[in-house]
Amino acid sequence: MPNKGKAARPSEKLFPDANGNLFEKSYQEQIEAERAQPVECLGMTFENDDARRDYFLDKLREMLQDPEFRRIEGFPIGEDEDILALSDPPYYTACPNPFLTDFINHYGRSYVPEEPYLREPFAVDVSEGKTDQLYKAHAYHTKVPHLAIVPSILHYTEPGDIVLDGFCGSGMTGVAAQWCGAAPSEYRRKLEDEWKKAGLGQPKWGARKVILNDLSPAATFIAANYNLPFEVGEFARAARRILDEVEEELGWMYETLHTDGRTKGRIEYTVWSEVFSCPECSGEVVFLEEALDKETKKVKDSFLCPHCGAKLNKNRLERVFETLPDPATDNPLKRVKFRPVLIAYTAIGNRHEKQPDEKDLEVLDRIRQMPLPAEIPTNRFPIEKMYHGSRIAPKGFTHLHHFFLPRAAQALAALWRKVIRYPNARIRHMLLFFVEQASWGSSLLNRYSPTHFSQVNRYLTGVYYVASQHSECSPRYILGGKLSRLSKAFESHYTIRNIAYVSTSTVAALSISGNAIDYIFTDPPFGENIYYADLNFLVESWYRVITNAQPEAIVDKFKKKGLPEYQRLMQRCFEEYCRVLKPGRWMTVVFHNSRNSVWNAIQEAMLAAGFVVADVRTMDKQQGSYRQVTSTAVKQDLVISAYKPNGGLEERFKIEAGTEEGVWDFIRTHLMKLPVFVSKDGRAEVIAERQNYLLYDRMVAFHVQRGVLVPLSAAEFYQGLPQRFAERDGMYFLPEQAAEYDKKRLTVKDVETPEFAPVDEFSAIRWLQRELNSRPQTFQQIHPIFVRALAGWQKHEKPLELSTLLEQNFLRYDGQGEVPSQIHGYLSSNFKELRNLAKDDPDLRAKAKDRWYVPDPNKAGDLEKLRERALLREFEEYRESKQKRLKVFRLEAVRAGFKKAWQERDYSTIIAVAGKIPENILQEDPKLLMWYDQAITRSGTDP
Ligand SMILES: C[S@@+](CC[C@H](N)C(=O)[O-])C[C@H]1O[C@@H](n2cnc3c(N)ncnc32)[C@H](O)[C@@H]1O
């Protein structure tokens, strides 16, 4: 690792970096040495890195001519030469990477079923490391910081293992994989301490190999540059020289006369205001001139028309268009009108502001006469297929070049021209990575934000939005500071060759052999919040290599993709993930919650693809701890841990499918994957996944997703579970896990059970189970407590009387015969006078009479059958109902009905009843969604 000069010993030979700081020799020397030395790549030796690149560029060029290769799903849209110009094969290709299999063959480890591998799920805090300079070196939509990913990679993998992220965006998973080898000692110490405290083992430091993939060339280009080594010093010097040259060439465009009338000032930014017209007198109103309060720097709610004095506000103003010749199309350009209103500049060592004077306007006029530089892309946005098309087209922005004012166009083009001529390909790519970051900030999307000191990158993220006030920044103002920060960040980021391979394609078609990947960390698109392909279009137009949006996993009505299409696309991606992952290995999915229905679509896609979910957690910021997610209603970001079932289980399951043995085999294998003991602040946590009802759900899902009948009813399952597995605190364990749990349980004072309220039949039963388990009660006792606990019954859920809930799920002691053990245990430990009494003692019987209690598993079976009959009767009514839509119903009845119909292969009943219940209920209930999806697929009525 490089060390800052101050910390280095004076006797060592030190090297200056771009900012004059001194570096330990090792870092610089390694790079120098690497450059001069022969290069090993995929088993071949090249004279140097340029020879390596030339060789593989030729290979890629050949492949690009093969129509089959270009037919790979998700192949980006671009000419061969443009794809080649961005690529640095075999490490990075701006198209599907044809060298991934070679990479795996050379550097991966084959799957050996006998090799022991045991890990528990591991949660990550996705907000950790958001201030890190390396993380901030390049922005991308919804980035997950590498420091949040490092602990997961350390937990699930060994040095040299291969990690995959198919939705890699800016490639933070790759940075994390490399960081596992390059982390500084203080970071290592801190993490080791934390792990020790949490009872985790010692992490194995050392870089992991990584395959990064994304559909978008803009994303993979960022990812590649983050993850491939380059010489920071050379990059920094080249970037600075380019900024200087552009300033020299175009400096006159950014000069202004200081208010002293003599001194030349250097413009940092020019503020432009949209021009409107007054609805009363039709006079032109320059918005900022009238609306901006110069003192408070805020836009006033109302202001006066400078012509007729009418009281105006933004909503009353009428848009004014100006018609300009469009240099790139045959049509005139009719665009909203902007006028310069303020110049911020430096002169005599200070920052000043002024209104543009005659000379400034003359300069702007001169620039306007210049031809549009050839480097500026002039392609048309796919407006009709873009979510934000209706925001930009009515203001006159339909083509790329419309977003750049003449001076910004000249400046950005000059930067681009110089960068693409830089001779060394690796440095050239880094320079593009750097300059590209000015493309949004130089465009009319950059808003003027008077209350902020810096006007750099003030565009609204995630949308195309042209505001009424714009800051047109000079190249140095945008990029000068960025260069220092970026160089500094990369100085401490030690990347090595042959570690990261980057590909541009859809996850649904990775060119990777099966069972090859050791761990997947992934942050997929989540529904309809961010339109990646649309947003990346601006930058990709500069590269002339554009995302092929067809396989983009997104909800977007303008691309005719609804939730079902999204789910299907995600399922195909997860199927591919499942294919390439080694059996028994883990996948961590980060999900930024938007809607519950999207969350369910993701879950369903994952399960249908063959994964088994073992843990779902959120980060509780206030408590600084992870919380399990047990309900379907989630508002926070989630971290899902899922595994590909161990090869042995899948193989055995083929023989055991639909038998009782298959059920218990699954449960045994699943229990092996679950955490054994989780504690926080001296309290153990009830691990939801180990509770009987969740084990049952997972078992059912495992069968259903494989098209196999579930051989046990819930009651039979609940009865069989304690016969085969050890029960502790309401959770189930394998024998050796139970021993470990018991040992660790002694180290805490008690077990924390998560609070929840009854909001529907299912949660009400669980709530009553918990309440009665700890204290068998009479109806009179439990009624007020139950009513108080109710926290708003779900609107669609049929209201149920407490008496019905009790009768259908619990038993009441009628005072006859022996007092049931559960009541006996409770009374004898809570009432002194009832201690040591026989079970048929009259006093005990009297006290126990009419108390409701939780049936033991043998009796529960009978009750369950009764309840199921009642539920199925209710379901039958829904099926026969002539009502088009059922407004209120028993969700449990629909679940039971769907399950029965599925077992009987009666898919049409499922589809018919699903059509009667509100769509959002279907999409937000994972169980219903599962039956419904299966029915649709198996009946061949896939819409
Ligand atoms: C949430 S972002 C990932 C951001 C990333 N975690 C980071 O730190 O930069 C999701 C990514 O998925 C990509 N994507 C969407 N559909 C895809 C598909 N079918 N195959 C591969 N990538 C896809 C988008 O281009 C986007 O970059």
Side-chain angles (χ1 to χ4, degrees), residues 140 142-144 166-168 170 214-215 505-507 523 525 532 551 553:
Y140 191 68
T142 65
K143 276 177 77 151
V144 175
F167 299 103
C168 73
S170 56
D214 199 283
L215 192 62
S505 78
T506 167
V507 178
D523 166 29
Y532 299 97

Side-chain angles (χ1 to χ4, degrees), residues 833-848:
E833 67 282 12
L834 300 178
R835 248 170 233 168
N836 302 326
L837 296 184
K839 280 188 175 165
D840 58 355
D841 183 279
D843 286 349
L844 189 74
R845 277 176 28 207
K847 191 81 176 171

Side-chain angles (χ1 to χ4, degrees), residues 21 111 115 231 485 510 514 562 636 652 680 701 771 778 907:
N21 295 316
Y111 168 57
E115 217 170 74
E231 202 185 329
R485 288 192 300 275
L510 296 168
Q636 285 163 288
R652 291 194 304 277
K680 170 96 188 152
E771 191 64 27
T778 63
Y907 306 129

Side-chain angles (χ1 to χ4, degrees), residues 3-303:
N3 238 332
K4 281 277 159 276
K6 278 174 239 149
R9 271 168 284 132
S11 61
E12 276 179 334
K13 192 174 156 205
L14 299 174
F15 284 79
D17 73 356
N19 300 316
N21 295 316
L22 294 180
F23 262 75
E24 251 181 41
K25 61 181 177 184
S26 57
Y27 179 65
Q28 280 288 350
E29 275 188 352
Q30 278 211 37
I31 289 169
E32 297 289 334
E34 257 182 38
R35 264 207 164 172
Q37 267 180 18
V39 167
E40 190 278 330
C41 180
L42 295 181
M44 285 174 265
T45 307
F46 299 90
E47 199 182 323
N48 55 36
D49 207 35
D50 291 338
R52 179 272 308 164
R53 185 177 298 111
D54 290 346
Y55 173 85
F56 284 105
L57 275 173
D58 280 348
K59 287 253 158 226
L60 185 61
R61 186 173 284 111
E62 259 172 49
M63 306 208 68
L64 285 167
Q65 270 148 31
D66 176 359
E68 273 309 303
F69 180 54
R70 273 195 163 268
R71 265 199 284 275
I72 294 179
E73 192 186 354
F75 203 100
I77 301 153
E79 302 285 327
D80 290 4
E81 287 311 313
D82 294 320
I83 292 176
L84 290 165
L86 278 191
S87 304
D88 193 350
Y91 309 129
Y92 169 54
T93 58
C95 63
N97 191 328
F99 308 105
L100 293 185
T101 309
D102 294 340
F103 171 60
I104 291 170
N105 290 344
H106 273 87
Y107 306 111
R109 279 197 284 263
S110 335
Y111 168 57
V112 182
E114 301 74 37
E115 217 170 74
Y117 174 86
L118 213 63
R119 298 287 196 286
E120 287 181 4
F122 189 86
V124 278
D125 174 5
V126 288
S127 61
E128 191 173 322
K130 287 215 163 156
T131 54
D132 183 87
Q133 283 306 324
L134 189 57
Y135 165 79
K136 294 197 322 196
H138 200 304
Y140 191 68
H141 333 283
T142 65
K143 276 177 77 151
V144 175
H146 60 286
L147 292 177
I149 311 173
V150 172
S152 280
I153 296 184
L154 287 171
H155 171 78
Y156 287 114
T157 62
E158 306 261 320
D161 275 358
I162 301 188
V163 178
L164 166 69
D165 183 352
F167 299 103
C168 73
S170 56
M172 292 295 106
T173 303
V175 176
Q178 305 211 41
W179 180 261
C180 292
S185 50
E186 55 196 295
Y187 175 88
R188 293 180 188 220
R189 257 197 313 277
K190 191 169 156 261
L191 188 124
E192 283 169 11
D193 285 351
E194 281 169 12
W195 279 31
K196 205 166 161 194
K197 263 192 225 141
L200 300 164
Q202 173 87 357
K204 286 193 185 150
W205 298 102
R208 275 63 168 165
K209 306 256 186 304
V210 65
I211 293 179
L212 302 168
N213 173 79
D214 199 283
L215 192 62
S216 151
T220 55
F221 189 67
I222 304 173
N225 282 295
Y226 251 121
N227 282 283
L228 302 183
F230 68 99
E231 202 185 329
V232 182
E234 183 180 342
F235 157 72
R237 282 190 296 275
R240 204 158 289 286
R241 199 166 52 243
I242 287 174
L243 283 182
D244 289 346
E245 281 174 15
V246 169
E247 186 150 299
E248 207 169 296
E249 222 172 83
L250 306 183
W252 61 273
M253 296 185 181
Y254 294 96
E255 264 171 22
T256 189
L257 201 57
H258 185 37
T259 39
D260 65 5
R262 292 189 308 274
T263 321
K264 270 188 195 167
R266 264 173 31 155
I267 296 179
E268 288 189 329
Y269 59 88
T270 301
V271 179
W272 294 72
S273 167
E274 192 175 344
V275 178
F276 292 91
S277 83
C278 169
E280 302 293 335
C281 69
S282 303
E284 281 200 347
V285 180
V286 181
F287 178 66
L288 275 187
E289 278 177 0
E290 311 309 326
L292 186 71
D293 184 324
K294 310 256 172 352
E295 292 290 304
T296 62
K297 299 266 184 191
K298 294 225 165 91
V299 171
K300 296 182 231 169
D301 289 341
S302 63
F303 44 90

